[in-house]
């Protein structure tokens, strides 16, 4: 049951109606049942894995709170981490690790037929953060198994985040909520903005990106255009999902964290990662970067911690070397920008210099997307080589398949992006131009019907 499907458009209001009609003490059961039903629509057998992770880490949390002996507490934490990372290691990385080892030894590996459980990278990270926070004494263990299972399986953010902390989400799930006009209005605004980003922008751009990246030898101009379109596609795809998730939760009286904050306006790679996939960046900062010493133990340890974080972040996105190299590249860009920030040169004060820094950061980030989107390191190398070879622009436009009507549609889409930001930002006042709002609604619904009939595009981050 994907968010951009007619089934979900019926599922969400039905769940919201039953939830608000149900007595407050029983609402958790409604949401848990709806969340498990939502996940079972992807794969009923794999729902057992989700419940196994929930049961194991819930019991580990109780043990961590009750046991006082350090060895026993470490054993309980080890059990929780083994359950979570063992799940990821087998389902997501086994074939990758076995294949890499076989290649290193000069052999070949016949991949096993392993189905990746949708959303496992997200709910396992939430489970790990819960166990770690209880172990550190930052969080009291949740004694109610139902509420904890709901925390891990809450359907708006179950399969693609944001990665919520138990200290933020559990109290909201336990609270006696009331549907306010503010929640309903903001929920609808977020849903509208998210659907528009996904269905109207991301899926539209994805058609042209696929045409170029699947071509055997595309022209450099086509690679450049497709890469810029992919930068727009992946942002609108994931930010759109996050807004739909936040809007869905808001209709249930729950506030999810903001996962994106206009990342392409960043003036440095470091700022980009404060604005892009914020929940993942914070997770790696709290549970990898700081435990490795962070910036407290000198430049060498800081460089090691940053490299480890970005290598792990790349691997988190996918079991391919392209993702690892993509992560290491961002780590190198992050470290290269630190001396400039330390010298007080960033963020820049001059408007012209700020614009130049923003353009340079966007160019570097967009260039790195080639690694993210490519099928292999060899494929990425070919695309980069074509990018820096002489261009044949007519051939590039033909490869893209971007006609005059498509260019006009793209221009209109880009012109609407500032309105989308205002629509999905709670700090912004209610949009006053109802003509614009009506245009957004009608276009999003029309595109949704079109893609429902012809096959909607899958959210990119479902594969992670």
């Amino acid at each position: 049951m994907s968010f951009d499907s007619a089934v979900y458009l019926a599922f969400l209001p039905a769940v919201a109606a039953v939830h608000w009609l149900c007595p407050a003490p029983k609402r958790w059961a409604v949401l848990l049942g709806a969340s498990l039903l939502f996940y079972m629509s992807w794969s009923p057998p794999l729902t057992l894995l989700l419940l196994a992770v929930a049961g194991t880490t819930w019991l580990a949390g109780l043990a961590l709170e009750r046991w006082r002996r350090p060895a026993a507490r470490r054993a309980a934490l080890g059990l929780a981490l083994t359950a979570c990372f063992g799940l990821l290691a087998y389902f997501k990385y086994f074939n990758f690790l076995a294949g890499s080892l076989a290649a290193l030894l000069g052999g070949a590996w016949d991949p096993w037929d392993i189905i990746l459980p949708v959303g496992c990278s997200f709910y396992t990270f939430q489970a790990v953060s819960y166990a770690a926070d209880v172990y550190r004494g930052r969080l009291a263990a949740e004694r109610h198994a139902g509420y904890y299972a709901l925390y891990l399986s809450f359907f708006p953010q179950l399969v693609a985040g944001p990665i919520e902390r138990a200290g933020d989400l559990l109290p909201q799930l336990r609270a006696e909520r009331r549907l306010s006009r503010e929640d309903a209005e903001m929920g609808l605004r977020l849903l509208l903005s998210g659907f528009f980003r996904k269905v109207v922008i991301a899926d539209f751009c994805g058609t042209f990106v696929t045409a170029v990246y699947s071509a055997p030898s595309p022209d450099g101009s086509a690679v450049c255009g497709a890469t810029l379109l992919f930068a727009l596609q992946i942002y609108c795809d994931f930010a759109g999902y996050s807004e739909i998730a936040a809007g869905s939760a808001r209709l249930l009286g729950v506030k999810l964290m903001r996962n994106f904050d206009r990342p392409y306006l960043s003036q440095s790679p470091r700022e980009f990662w404060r604005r892009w996939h914020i929940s993942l960046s914070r997770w790696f900062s709290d549970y990898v970067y700081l435990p490795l010493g962070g910036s407290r133990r000198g430049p060498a340890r800081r460089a090691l911690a940053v490299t480890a974080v970005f290598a792990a972040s790349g691997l988190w996105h996918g079991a391919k070397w392209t993702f690892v190299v993509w992560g290491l590249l961002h780590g190198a860009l992050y470290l290269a920008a630190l001396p400039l920030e330390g010298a007080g040169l960033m963020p820049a004060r001059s408007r012209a210099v700020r614009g130049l820094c923003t353009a340079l950061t966007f160019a570097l980030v967009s260039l790195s997307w080639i690694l993210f989107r490519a099928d292999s390191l060899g494929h990425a190398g070919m695309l980069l080589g074509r990018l820096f070879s002489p261009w044949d622009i007519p051939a590039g436009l033909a490869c893209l398949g971007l006609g005059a009507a498509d260019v006009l549609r793209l221009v209109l889409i880009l012109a609407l992006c500032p309105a989308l930001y205002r629509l999905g930002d709670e700090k912004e006042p209610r949009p006053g131009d109802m003509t614009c709002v009506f245009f957004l609604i009608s276009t999003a619904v029309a595109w949704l019907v079109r893609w429902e009939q012809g096959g909607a595009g899958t959210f990119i981050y479902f594969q992670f």
Side-chain angles (χ1 to χ4, degrees), residues 67-92:
W67 297 349
R68 292 291 178 260
R69 296 180 60 183
R73 300 185 78 248
R74 286 194 296 268
L77 179 63
L79 176 63
L81 298 184
T82 299
C84 294
F85 292 129
L87 168 67
L88 284 179
Y90 175 73
F91 283 95
K92 190 170 183 177

Side-chain angles (χ1 to χ4, degrees), residues 159-341:
V159 295
I163 304 170
E164 289 286 344
R165 304 293 175 84
D168 296 325
L169 186 54
L170 269 171
Q172 294 190 73
L173 297 175
R174 277 188 159 280
E176 186 174 337
R177 304 178 303 279
R178 293 183 178 179
L179 180 61
S180 64
R181 179 178 177 179
E182 178 188 359
D183 283 338
E185 180 180 309
M186 197 63 227
L188 293 174
R189 284 172 58 176
L190 286 165
L191 285 169
L192 174 57
S193 177
F195 278 123
F196 191 90
R197 288 187 193 278
K198 166 58 180 171
V199 181
V200 180
I201 304 180
D203 288 349
F204 171 69
C205 293
T207 303
F208 308 104
V209 173
T210 300
V212 173
Y213 274 74
S214 60
S217 185
D219 183 75
S221 60
V223 175
C224 179
T227 301
L228 292 175
L229 286 175
F230 181 68
L232 182 60
Q233 178 195 3
I234 192 170
Y235 168 59
C236 288
D237 188 281
F238 197 17
Y241 177 95
S242 296
E243 287 186 328
I244 297 171
S248 300
R250 199 64 181 268
L251 293 181
L252 299 169
V254 175
K255 291 184 179 181
L256 299 181
M257 68 174 293
R258 189 187 186 107
N259 214 15
F260 290 86
D261 185 15
R262 295 179 291 178
Y264 290 146
L265 297 182
S266 304
Q267 296 181 42
S268 70
R270 187 182 183 190
E271 184 182 357
F272 174 79
W273 283 102
R274 288 199 298 264
R275 293 169 172 259
W276 177 277
H277 204 343
I278 299 170
S279 63
L280 182 68
S281 297
R282 289 180 179 174
W283 194 97
F284 275 113
S285 175
D286 289 346
Y287 303 108
V288 179
Y289 178 74
L290 291 177
L292 287 177
S295 60
R296 302 188 302 270
R297 298 186 181 181
R301 177 59 72 90
R302 184 179 193 177
L304 176 64
V306 168
T307 303
V309 163
F310 279 99
S313 176
L315 194 59
W316 179 90
H317 281 88
K320 293 198 303 185
W321 284 110
T322 50
F323 290 116
V324 177
V325 176
W326 171 81
L328 291 173
L329 174 60
H330 270 279
L333 294 174
Y334 187 100
L335 290 172
L338 288 178
L340 298 176
E341 295 184 2

Side-chain angles (χ1 to χ4, degrees), residues 38-181:
F38 176 82
Y39 197 80
M40 288 174 67
S41 69
W42 298 97
S43 175
L46 293 178
T47 307
L48 297 176
L49 288 175
L50 170 62
L51 294 175
V53 170
T56 302
T57 50
W58 177 69
L59 291 173
L62 294 178
L64 286 168
E65 188 171 73
R66 293 176 182 176
W67 297 349
R68 292 291 178 260
R69 296 180 60 183
R73 300 185 78 248
R74 286 194 296 268
L77 179 63
L79 176 63
L81 298 184
T82 299
C84 294
F85 292 129
L87 168 67
L88 284 179
Y90 175 73
F91 283 95
K92 190 170 183 177
Y93 300 111
F94 180 80
N95 279 325
F96 169 70
L97 295 174
S100 299
L101 180 60
L104 184 64
L105 298 176
W109 172 255
D110 185 16
W112 291 8
D113 187 16
I114 299 175
I115 299 175
L116 177 64
V118 64
C120 67
S121 295
F122 292 90
Y123 67 72
T124 53
F125 268 37
Q126 285 198 182
V128 167
S129 69
Y130 167 80
D133 287 347
V134 174
Y135 178 78
R136 294 172 176 177
R138 297 178 178 177
L139 180 71
E142 174 56 57
R143 298 183 178 280
H144 193 291
Y147 277 113
Y148 180 73
L150 177 58
Y151 156 68
L152 276 195
S153 64
F154 187 48
F155 73 88
Q157 46 86 224
L158 171 59
V159 295
I163 304 170
E164 289 286 344
R165 304 293 175 84
D168 296 325
L169 186 54
L170 269 171
Q172 294 190 73
L173 297 175
R174 277 188 159 280
E176 186 174 337
R177 304 178 303 279
R178 293 183 178 179
L179 180 61
S180 64
R181 179 178 177 179

